[in-house]
Amino acid sequence: MIGSLRGVVESVHEAGCVLDVNGVGYLVACSRKTLDRLTAKDGLQKLLVETRVSQDAITLFGFFDATEREAFRALIEVKTVGPQKALLVLSGLTPAQLAAAIAAKERKKLSEVKGLGAATANRIIDEPAMQKWAVGRATPDADGLGGIAIAPPAAEGGENDAVSALVNLGMKRPEASAAVARAAKRVGKDAALEALITEALKEMAPR
């Protein structure tokens, strides 16, 4: 599975972009905020990727940074909030603004996100898992406005991609993260992605 892509933006459309990676064009769905950052400069750019497999399609979702991908992963766990609605939220609010709105239960602010609606906004705010996600992330800035404090990620670089690949294979994130961390200790944090995934799968195999 794909954990990240590095290439040149070939074209941009309403729901995402085509990223040219060595002559292969990958159709990637993105939030408006990620698209704006992609089009702000030329040349090679990296997108973190979340792969979602459904009965009739394999869809790639791209994120400019890990903070947005983390928010996306939290949102799609909310009942009836699928990947497309999660992108709507992240098109209207940064992860910092989203965390602050959830922590303060600002229902109106979330419901004002274009295309979301009050019912979905309420569901996101009332979801215990989203409240838990927001705790520790919504902090006041110097000017008193909502900010975000992100805990250090459990994995860096190739480890993040390895965890994402295992999750896309149907494994639970906590178990995948722990297995990749153990694998990295054996093969080294700078090991190739394939090596990390192989060792992590060995860690998760029944003993």
Side-chain angles (χ1 to χ4, degrees):
M1 291 293 182
I2 299 172
S4 66
L5 292 170
R6 187 184 298 275
V8 177
V9 177
E10 181 179 291
S11 62
V12 174
H13 51 87
E14 179 77 21
C17 69
V18 174
L19 194 70
D20 186 321
V21 182
N22 297 323
V24 178
Y26 289 86
L27 181 62
V28 186
C30 306
S31 72
R32 173 48 56 184
K33 293 187 183 299
T34 282
L35 289 177
D36 288 344
R37 295 174 73 177
L38 284 175
T39 56
K41 61 178 183 178
D42 298 323
L44 282 174
Q45 300 194 62
K46 180 179 179 180
L47 274 179
L48 301 179
V49 172
E50 188 81 4
T51 306
R52 306 297 296 181
V53 181
S54 63
Q55 290 183 338
D56 55 359
I58 298 176
T59 307
L60 304 181
F61 295 89
F63 310 93
F64 205 86
D65 56 40
T67 303
E68 187 185 42
R69 183 169 65 176
E70 180 197 32
F72 174 85
R73 288 170 173 169
L75 284 165
I76 61 176
E77 294 300 319
V78 180
K79 188 177 180 180
T80 75
V81 179
Q84 298 302 332
K85 284 188 177 180
L87 288 186
L88 283 178
V89 174
L90 295 171
S91 292
L93 298 172
T94 66
Q97 292 168 336
L98 175 62
I102 292 172
K105 295 195 174 183
E106 296 180 7
R107 300 175 188 277
K108 183 179 179 181
K109 184 173 184 178
L110 198 54
S111 66
E112 288 174 348
V113 170
K114 185 178 179 180
L116 190 62
T120 303
N122 286 333
R123 191 171 292 113
I124 291 171
I125 285 179
D126 292 335
E127 173 64 41
M130 290 305 299
Q131 286 288 331
K132 183 177 179 180
W133 173 83
V135 170
R137 291 174 172 83
T139 59
D141 288 333
D143 59 4
L145 299 177
I148 191 164
I150 297 294
E156 296 285 344
E159 290 181 69
N160 270 329
D161 292 341
V163 171
S164 180
L166 293 177
V167 170
N168 287 328
L169 290 172
M171 300 167 189
K172 293 183 179 179
R173 184 166 298 279
E175 287 82 354
S177 295
V180 169
R182 292 194 298 271
K185 288 182 179 180
R186 288 208 308 272
V187 300
K189 292 186 176 181
D190 296 327
L193 177 60
E194 292 78 7
L196 273 175
I197 293 173
T198 299
E199 289 302 315
L201 286 171
K202 291 179 182 178
E203 286 286 339
M204 301 182 78
R207 299 181 184 276

